[in-house]
Amino acid sequence: MSESAKDWNPGAYSRFRGLRLRPALDLLAQVGDLPKGDVIDLGCGDGAAAEALAARFPERRIIGVDNSPAMLGKAQGYAIKTLADIGTWHPETPPALIFSNAVLHWLPDHAALMPRLAGYLAPGGVLAVQMPRQFLAPSHRFLRDIAGGMFPDRFDFGHYHPPVDPAAAYHEILAPLGRMSAWETEYVQRVEAVVEGHPVRAFTGTTAMRPFLEKLSEAEAKQFTAAYDAALTSAYPLLEDGAALFPFRRCFFVLEMP
Ligand SMILES: C[S@@+](CC[C@H](N)C(=O)[O-])C[C@H]1O[C@@H](n2cnc3c(N)ncnc32)[C@H](O)[C@@H]1O
């Protein structure tokens, strides 16, 4: 599969812009006053949070960082757009705020990653993070169960560990560094009917499902998708109008450095 086929699809991703923006706004609402410095939107994607960040911090330079050329290409509202992998990225000057919405679950070893990011901040700076914590819910568990059952040569989740821990774990890791606030919220999302397939799949298809589809041929993907749709119907029954209720758990924390 080519690199571009592996890249994110900003058009499909933005279909649920409202549902995806809400947690970003809830996170931003918990960020207080900032010291001097830039605002970094880490894993900025197509720039969904740029407008809210600019409205909140109108005098600041807002920098978007992402490793997807397609997403970064769409992103607007940043003074600087940096194509970089968060695994190796570091800021040029100590930022006032590192804001990261729905990104860091793609990166491993949070016990090392989060303190590293906090260490880049200016004194009094803030690290604000939101990550989905949906990995044991049916929407995400079905992906692993079905892929492992259908294609055991490519998928083995025998030692699976969810990439995001409970909010309390981040509190424990980061509280020694500064003032911590951590919480979780389950959003009861209404996902509207789609022409083809289950509406929950329309949501996960552009994010959680991507690493699975990348490893499948077109015919295999079709088979996999049909099985996933059927399983979703049992866990998220369709409402009369074809929409579904899709409870979705998210983990948040805000660390304020001394
Ligand atoms: C679910 S989107 C979230 C985008 C945006 N923050 C928002 O709230 O809509 C995840 C983004 O993280 C980016 N991403 C994932 N892993 C990354 C990495 N290792 N380095 C940089 N960006 C990464 C993807 O390219 C994608 O744009």
Side-chain angles (χ1 to χ4, degrees):
M1 189 171 282
S2 71
E3 274 314 296
S4 61
K6 276 188 179 179
D7 202 352
W8 288 68
N9 179 339
Y13 176 78
S14 66
R15 182 192 287 164
F16 297 100
R17 210 172 175 85
L19 291 181
R20 297 193 198 277
L21 186 60
R22 163 88 182 269
L25 300 181
D26 290 349
L27 177 64
L28 186 56
Q30 298 305 319
V31 176
D33 292 342
L34 295 180
K36 282 205 176 84
D38 294 331
V39 166
I40 309 286
D41 189 355
L42 196 61
C44 63
D46 62 358
E51 197 181 323
L53 288 168
R56 176 75 195 280
F57 304 111
E59 307 299 324
R60 311 264 172 170
R61 201 161 68 145
I62 300 181
I63 300 175
V65 178
D66 204 285
N67 70 351
S68 160
M71 292 294 244
L72 210 53
K74 283 272 170 209
Q76 292 191 347
Y78 299 104
I80 300 175
K81 295 199 276 185
T82 305
L83 182 65
D85 193 301
I86 295 164
T88 50
W89 169 86
H90 58 85
E92 278 168 20
T93 54
L97 171 65
I98 298 178
F99 181 89
S100 187
N101 183 59
V103 176
L104 297 180
H105 57 296
W106 295 104
L107 283 99
D109 194 5
H110 286 182
L113 173 69
M114 303 304 178
R116 176 170 71 79
L117 294 176
Y120 294 143
L121 291 165
V126 172
L127 173 63
V129 172
Q130 182 278 122
M131 297 174 286
R133 202 165 94 73
Q134 182 72 0
F135 301 92
L136 300 179
S139 56
H140 289 51
R141 182 166 45 79
F142 288 160
L143 291 170
R144 295 190 300 277
D145 291 352
I146 295 169
M150 276 184 164
F151 312 106
D153 56 319
R154 271 157 287 170
F155 300 97
D156 176 9
F157 295 104
H159 300 285
Y160 178 76
H161 183 79
V164 178
D165 288 322
Y170 297 95
H171 198 289
E172 210 168 296
I173 294 169
L174 294 171
L177 302 182
R179 201 166 69 183
M180 257 307 264
S181 165
W183 70 102
E184 296 192 9
T185 301
E186 188 168 82
Y187 294 88
V188 180
Q189 306 183 141
R190 185 188 146 93
V191 280
E192 300 302 333
V194 281
V195 178
E196 200 196 312
H198 194 284
V200 167
R201 200 235 311 161
F203 189 97
T204 55
T206 56
T207 52
M209 203 177 172
R210 292 179 54 243
F212 293 86
L213 296 176
E214 276 170 12
K215 291 190 180 164
L216 301 178
S217 70
E218 213 170 294
E220 289 170 336
K222 229 174 163 177
Q223 207 189 341
F224 176 66
T225 300
Y228 183 48
D229 273 343
L232 288 174
T233 305
S234 66
Y236 307 99
L238 296 183
L239 305 173
E240 261 178 24
D241 62 357
L245 293 184
F246 178 25
F248 198 106
R249 177 166 288 272
R250 295 181 180 274
C251 165
F252 298 77
F253 69 81
V254 173
L255 168 68
E256 200 181 304
M257 298 297 278

mmCIF file of all heavy atoms in Angstrom, residues 7-8 13 20 24 41-46 48-49 65-68 71 84-87 100-103 105-107 207, ligand 1:
data_model
loop_
_atom_site.group_PDB
_atom_site.id
_atom_site.type_symbol
_atom_site.label_atom_id
_atom_site.label_comp_id
_atom_site.label_asym_id
_atom_site.label_seq_id
_atom_site.Cartn_x
_atom_site.Cartn_y
_atom_site.Cartn_z
ATOM 1 N N ASP A 7 -2.215 7.438 4.536
ATOM 2 C CA ASP A 7 -2.366 8.720 5.215
ATOM 3 C C ASP A 7 -3.819 8.909 5.664
ATOM 4 O O ASP A 7 -4.716 8.210 5.215
ATOM 5 C CB ASP A 7 -1.943 9.858 4.265
ATOM 6 C CG ASP A 7 -1.572 11.123 5.025
ATOM 7 O OD1 ASP A 7 -1.781 11.159 6.257
ATOM 8 O OD2 ASP A 7 -1.095 12.066 4.396
ATOM 9 N N TRP A 8 -4.023 9.856 6.562
ATOM 10 C CA TRP A 8 -5.364 10.167 7.041
ATOM 11 C C TRP A 8 -6.179 10.762 5.903
ATOM 12 O O TRP A 8 -5.637 11.347 4.969
ATOM 13 C CB TRP A 8 -5.289 11.159 8.202
ATOM 14 C CG TRP A 8 -4.767 10.532 9.448
ATOM 15 C CD1 TRP A 8 -3.489 10.074 9.661
ATOM 16 C CD2 TRP A 8 -5.483 10.284 10.648
ATOM 17 N NE1 TRP A 8 -3.386 9.560 10.924
ATOM 18 C CE2 TRP A 8 -4.575 9.676 11.557
ATOM 19 C CE3 TRP A 8 -6.787 10.517 11.063
ATOM 20 C CZ2 TRP A 8 -4.957 9.304 12.852
ATOM 21 C CZ3 TRP A 8 -7.165 10.155 12.349
ATOM 22 C CH2 TRP A 8 -6.251 9.555 13.216
ATOM 23 N N TYR A 13 -12.686 12.254 7.823
ATOM 24 C CA TYR A 13 -12.476 12.513 9.251
ATOM 25 C C TYR A 13 -13.352 13.670 9.728
ATOM 26 O O TYR A 13 -13.909 13.641 10.826
ATOM 27 C CB TYR A 13 -10.991 12.822 9.513
ATOM 28 C CG TYR A 13 -10.707 13.191 10.939
ATOM 29 C CD1 TYR A 13 -10.632 12.211 11.929
ATOM 30 C CD2 TYR A 13 -10.548 14.523 11.325
ATOM 31 C CE1 TYR A 13 -10.405 12.552 13.251
ATOM 32 C CE2 TYR A 13 -10.319 14.870 12.639
ATOM 33 C CZ TYR A 13 -10.248 13.883 13.597
ATOM 34 O OH TYR A 13 -10.033 14.216 14.899
ATOM 35 N N ARG A 20 -16.276 15.517 17.454
ATOM 36 C CA ARG A 20 -14.855 15.435 17.780
ATOM 37 C C ARG A 20 -14.347 16.744 18.402
ATOM 38 O O ARG A 20 -13.367 16.740 19.138
ATOM 39 C CB ARG A 20 -14.052 15.111 16.520
ATOM 40 C CG ARG A 20 -14.387 13.751 15.894
ATOM 41 C CD ARG A 20 -13.345 13.381 14.861
ATOM 42 N NE ARG A 20 -13.736 12.348 13.924
ATOM 43 C CZ ARG A 20 -13.681 11.042 14.147
ATOM 44 N NH1 ARG A 20 -13.294 10.584 15.313
ATOM 45 N NH2 ARG A 20 -14.025 10.177 13.208
ATOM 46 N N ALA A 24 -12.412 18.683 22.641
ATOM 47 C CA ALA A 24 -11.318 19.669 22.543
ATOM 48 C C ALA A 24 -11.722 20.945 23.284
ATOM 49 O O ALA A 24 -10.913 21.538 24.013
ATOM 50 C CB ALA A 24 -11.007 19.981 21.082
ATOM 51 N N ASP A 41 -0.398 23.196 19.042
ATOM 52 C CA ASP A 41 -1.476 22.227 18.849
ATOM 53 C C ASP A 41 -0.808 20.954 18.339
ATOM 54 O O ASP A 41 -0.508 20.823 17.145
ATOM 55 C CB ASP A 41 -2.502 22.789 17.848
ATOM 56 C CG ASP A 41 -3.756 21.921 17.771
ATOM 57 O OD1 ASP A 41 -3.793 20.858 18.419
ATOM 58 O OD2 ASP A 41 -4.702 22.315 17.049
ATOM 59 N N LEU A 42 -0.546 20.047 19.275
ATOM 60 C CA LEU A 42 0.277 18.868 18.981
ATOM 61 C C LEU A 42 -0.599 17.759 18.386
ATOM 62 O O LEU A 42 -1.502 17.261 19.048
ATOM 63 C CB LEU A 42 0.937 18.395 20.281
ATOM 64 C CG LEU A 42 2.107 17.433 20.159
ATOM 65 C CD1 LEU A 42 3.265 18.040 19.375
ATOM 66 C CD2 LEU A 42 2.586 16.995 21.545
ATOM 67 N N GLY A 43 -0.319 17.409 17.130
ATOM 68 C CA GLY A 43 -1.195 16.477 16.413
ATOM 69 C C GLY A 43 -2.445 17.229 15.987
ATOM 70 O O GLY A 43 -3.568 16.800 16.232
ATOM 71 N N CYS A 44 -2.209 18.358 15.336
ATOM 72 C CA CYS A 44 -3.299 19.313 15.058
ATOM 73 C C CYS A 44 -4.298 18.788 14.032
ATOM 74 O O CYS A 44 -5.392 19.324 13.909
ATOM 75 C CB CYS A 44 -2.721 20.636 14.580
ATOM 76 S SG CYS A 44 -1.805 20.490 13.024
ATOM 77 N N GLY A 45 -3.912 17.750 13.270
ATOM 78 C CA GLY A 45 -4.824 17.215 12.264
ATOM 79 C C GLY A 45 -5.183 18.279 11.245
ATOM 80 O O GLY A 45 -4.330 19.064 10.803
ATOM 81 N N ASP A 46 -6.471 18.331 10.886
ATOM 82 C CA ASP A 46 -6.902 19.301 9.870
ATOM 83 C C ASP A 46 -7.240 20.659 10.487
ATOM 84 O O ASP A 46 -7.881 21.491 9.853
ATOM 85 C CB ASP A 46 -8.085 18.757 9.063
ATOM 86 C CG ASP A 46 -9.313 18.499 9.938
ATOM 87 O OD1 ASP A 46 -9.241 18.704 11.168
ATOM 88 O OD2 ASP A 46 -10.351 18.084 9.396
ATOM 89 N N ALA A 48 -8.942 21.352 13.465
ATOM 90 C CA ALA A 48 -10.265 21.475 14.082
ATOM 91 C C ALA A 48 -10.259 22.422 15.293
ATOM 92 O O ALA A 48 -11.222 23.144 15.523
ATOM 93 C CB ALA A 48 -10.774 20.101 14.502
ATOM 94 N N ALA A 49 -9.165 22.433 16.049
ATOM 95 C CA ALA A 49 -9.138 23.231 17.280
ATOM 96 C C ALA A 49 -8.508 24.612 17.073
ATOM 97 O O ALA A 49 -8.469 25.420 18.010
ATOM 98 C CB ALA A 49 -8.377 22.479 18.371
ATOM 99 N N VAL A 65 1.358 21.060 14.753
ATOM 100 C CA VAL A 65 2.354 20.003 14.494
ATOM 101 C C VAL A 65 1.603 18.722 14.156
ATOM 102 O O VAL A 65 0.686 18.337 14.890
ATOM 103 C CB VAL A 65 3.233 19.756 15.748
ATOM 104 C CG1 VAL A 65 4.223 18.626 15.503
ATOM 105 C CG2 VAL A 65 3.952 21.029 16.176
ATOM 106 N N ASP A 66 1.985 18.061 13.072
ATOM 107 C CA ASP A 66 1.342 16.790 12.721
ATOM 108 C C ASP A 66 2.266 16.041 11.758
ATOM 109 O O ASP A 66 3.079 16.662 11.078
ATOM 110 C CB ASP A 66 -0.019 17.035 12.053
ATOM 111 C CG ASP A 66 -0.967 15.853 12.193
ATOM 112 O OD1 ASP A 66 -0.770 14.829 11.489
ATOM 113 O OD2 ASP A 66 -1.909 15.937 13.012
ATOM 114 N N ASN A 67 2.129 14.716 11.716
ATOM 115 C CA ASN A 67 2.972 13.965 10.774
ATOM 116 C C ASN A 67 2.208 13.516 9.532
ATOM 117 O O ASN A 67 2.725 12.732 8.744
ATOM 118 C CB ASN A 67 3.661 12.768 11.453
ATOM 119 C CG ASN A 67 2.680 11.656 11.825
ATOM 120 O OD1 ASN A 67 1.469 11.846 11.727
ATOM 121 N ND2 ASN A 67 3.203 10.522 12.258
ATOM 122 N N SER A 68 0.978 14.013 9.371
ATOM 123 C CA SER A 68 0.205 13.666 8.175
ATOM 124 C C SER A 68 0.216 14.835 7.200
ATOM 125 O O SER A 68 -0.383 15.889 7.476
ATOM 126 C CB SER A 68 -1.241 13.335 8.563
ATOM 127 O OG SER A 68 -2.081 13.458 7.427
ATOM 128 N N MET A 71 -3.470 15.867 6.368
ATOM 129 C CA MET A 71 -4.167 16.625 7.417
ATOM 130 C C MET A 71 -3.574 18.030 7.534
ATOM 131 O O MET A 71 -4.304 19.025 7.574
ATOM 132 C CB MET A 71 -4.067 15.902 8.763
ATOM 133 C CG MET A 71 -4.840 14.601 8.825
ATOM 134 S SD MET A 71 -6.632 14.848 8.708
ATOM 135 C CE MET A 71 -7.168 14.281 10.300
ATOM 136 N N ALA A 84 5.989 16.892 11.503
ATOM 137 C CA ALA A 84 6.945 16.204 12.382
ATOM 138 C C ALA A 84 6.250 15.069 13.113
ATOM 139 O O ALA A 84 5.026 15.093 13.313
ATOM 140 C CB ALA A 84 7.514 17.188 13.407
ATOM 141 N N ASP A 85 7.046 14.086 13.496
ATOM 142 C CA ASP A 85 6.534 12.987 14.316
ATOM 143 C C ASP A 85 6.693 13.371 15.789
ATOM 144 O O ASP A 85 7.799 13.750 16.217
ATOM 145 C CB ASP A 85 7.326 11.710 14.013
ATOM 146 C CG ASP A 85 6.627 10.498 14.602
ATOM 147 O OD1 ASP A 85 6.433 10.463 15.849
ATOM 148 O OD2 ASP A 85 6.269 9.602 13.838
ATOM 149 N N ILE A 86 5.628 13.243 16.539
ATOM 150 C CA ILE A 86 5.668 13.636 17.960
ATOM 151 C C ILE A 86 6.710 12.814 18.723
ATOM 152 O O ILE A 86 7.291 13.283 19.697
ATOM 153 C CB ILE A 86 4.264 13.481 18.586
ATOM 154 C CG1 ILE A 86 3.299 14.469 17.931
ATOM 155 C CG2 ILE A 86 4.304 13.686 20.100
ATOM 156 C CD1 ILE A 86 1.831 14.157 18.170
ATOM 157 N N GLY A 87 6.967 11.605 18.241
ATOM 158 C CA GLY A 87 7.949 10.739 18.897
ATOM 159 C C GLY A 87 9.335 11.361 18.968
ATOM 160 O O GLY A 87 10.109 11.046 19.872
ATOM 161 N N SER A 100 -3.098 18.913 23.160
ATOM 162 C CA SER A 100 -3.113 17.732 22.289
ATOM 163 C C SER A 100 -4.440 17.008 22.413
ATOM 164 O O SER A 100 -4.725 16.384 23.446
ATOM 165 C CB SER A 100 -1.944 16.807 22.657
ATOM 166 O OG SER A 100 -1.869 15.763 21.708
ATOM 167 N N ASN A 101 -5.236 17.081 21.368
ATOM 168 C CA ASN A 101 -6.578 16.508 21.401
ATOM 169 C C ASN A 101 -6.666 15.280 20.487
ATOM 170 O O ASN A 101 -6.482 15.388 19.270
ATOM 171 C CB ASN A 101 -7.592 17.565 20.926
ATOM 172 C CG ASN A 101 -9.017 17.045 21.017
ATOM 173 O OD1 ASN A 101 -9.476 16.676 22.094
ATOM 174 N ND2 ASN A 101 -9.706 16.985 19.886
ATOM 175 N N ALA A 102 -6.938 14.136 21.099
ATOM 176 C CA ALA A 102 -7.190 12.887 20.352
ATOM 177 C C ALA A 102 -6.009 12.461 19.499
ATOM 178 O O ALA A 102 -6.173 12.138 18.317
ATOM 179 C CB ALA A 102 -8.451 13.043 19.488
ATOM 180 N N VAL A 103 -4.826 12.471 20.074
ATOM 181 C CA VAL A 103 -3.603 12.172 19.325
ATOM 182 C C VAL A 103 -2.682 11.189 20.057
ATOM 183 O O VAL A 103 -2.196 10.227 19.460
ATOM 184 C CB VAL A 103 -2.792 13.480 19.081
ATOM 185 C CG1 VAL A 103 -1.486 13.169 18.383
ATOM 186 C CG2 VAL A 103 -3.615 14.489 18.312
ATOM 187 N N HIS A 105 -2.785 8.793 22.022
ATOM 188 C CA HIS A 105 -3.031 7.347 22.089
ATOM 189 C C HIS A 105 -2.345 6.612 20.932
ATOM 190 O O HIS A 105 -2.199 5.406 20.966
ATOM 191 C CB HIS A 105 -4.533 7.048 22.089
ATOM 192 C CG HIS A 105 -5.267 7.609 20.911
ATOM 193 N ND1 HIS A 105 -5.368 8.958 20.681
ATOM 194 C CD2 HIS A 105 -5.925 7.008 19.872
ATOM 195 C CE1 HIS A 105 -6.071 9.167 19.579
ATOM 196 N NE2 HIS A 105 -6.408 8.002 19.064
ATOM 197 N N TRP A 106 -1.921 7.358 19.893
ATOM 198 C CA TRP A 106 -1.192 6.730 18.785
ATOM 199 C C TRP A 106 0.282 6.541 19.140
ATOM 200 O O TRP A 106 1.025 5.923 18.373
ATOM 201 C CB TRP A 106 -1.298 7.575 17.515
ATOM 202 C CG TRP A 106 -2.687 7.680 16.959
ATOM 203 C CD1 TRP A 106 -3.521 8.758 17.044
ATOM 204 C CD2 TRP A 106 -3.426 6.679 16.226
ATOM 205 N NE1 TRP A 106 -4.720 8.473 16.423
ATOM 206 C CE2 TRP A 106 -4.692 7.217 15.910
ATOM 207 C CE3 TRP A 106 -3.130 5.368 15.820
ATOM 208 C CZ2 TRP A 106 -5.662 6.501 15.203
ATOM 209 C CZ3 TRP A 106 -4.099 4.663 15.105
ATOM 210 C CH2 TRP A 106 -5.350 5.228 14.803
ATOM 211 N N LEU A 107 0.708 7.110 20.254
ATOM 212 C CA LEU A 107 2.131 6.999 20.633
ATOM 213 C C LEU A 107 2.302 6.083 21.843
ATOM 214 O O LEU A 107 1.459 6.079 22.741
ATOM 215 C CB LEU A 107 2.713 8.388 20.942
ATOM 216 C CG LEU A 107 3.008 9.165 19.650
ATOM 217 C CD1 LEU A 107 1.910 10.147 19.346
ATOM 218 C CD2 LEU A 107 4.357 9.827 19.703
ATOM 219 N N THR A 207 -10.611 6.375 11.821
ATOM 220 C CA THR A 207 -9.604 6.462 12.893
ATOM 221 C C THR A 207 -9.197 5.053 13.358
ATOM 222 O O THR A 207 -8.265 4.475 12.817
ATOM 223 C CB THR A 207 -10.153 7.279 14.079
ATOM 224 O OG1 THR A 207 -11.422 6.746 14.465
ATOM 225 C CG2 THR A 207 -10.328 8.741 13.712
HETATM 226 C C1 LIG B 1 -7.788 11.905 15.537
HETATM 227 S S1 LIG B 1 -6.763 13.078 14.725
HETATM 228 C C2 LIG B 1 -6.910 14.475 15.811
HETATM 229 C C3 LIG B 1 -6.604 15.761 15.119
HETATM 230 C C4 LIG B 1 -6.913 17.038 15.900
HETATM 231 N N1 LIG B 1 -6.099 17.154 17.093
HETATM 232 C C5 LIG B 1 -8.381 17.146 16.241
HETATM 233 O O1 LIG B 1 -8.702 17.349 17.415
HETATM 234 O O2 LIG B 1 -9.218 17.002 15.331
HETATM 235 C C6 LIG B 1 -5.159 12.452 15.118
HETATM 236 C C7 LIG B 1 -4.033 13.217 14.443
HETATM 237 O O3 LIG B 1 -2.812 12.790 15.059
HETATM 238 C C8 LIG B 1 -1.817 12.748 14.082
HETATM 239 N N2 LIG B 1 -0.763 11.848 14.559
HETATM 240 C C9 LIG B 1 -0.882 10.550 14.908
HETATM 241 N N3 LIG B 1 0.312 10.070 15.301
HETATM 242 C C10 LIG B 1 1.200 11.101 15.185
HETATM 243 C C11 LIG B 1 2.589 11.224 15.426
HETATM 244 N N4 LIG B 1 3.311 10.191 15.864
HETATM 245 N N5 LIG B 1 3.185 12.430 15.199
HETATM 246 C C12 LIG B 1 2.455 13.483 14.756
HETATM 247 N N6 LIG B 1 1.134 13.416 14.507
HETATM 248 C C13 LIG B 1 0.517 12.238 14.714
HETATM 249 C C14 LIG B 1 -2.536 12.232 12.841
HETATM 250 O O4 LIG B 1 -1.848 12.536 11.674
HETATM 251 C C15 LIG B 1 -3.875 12.948 12.944
HETATM 252 O O5 LIG B 1 -3.884 14.162 12.253
#
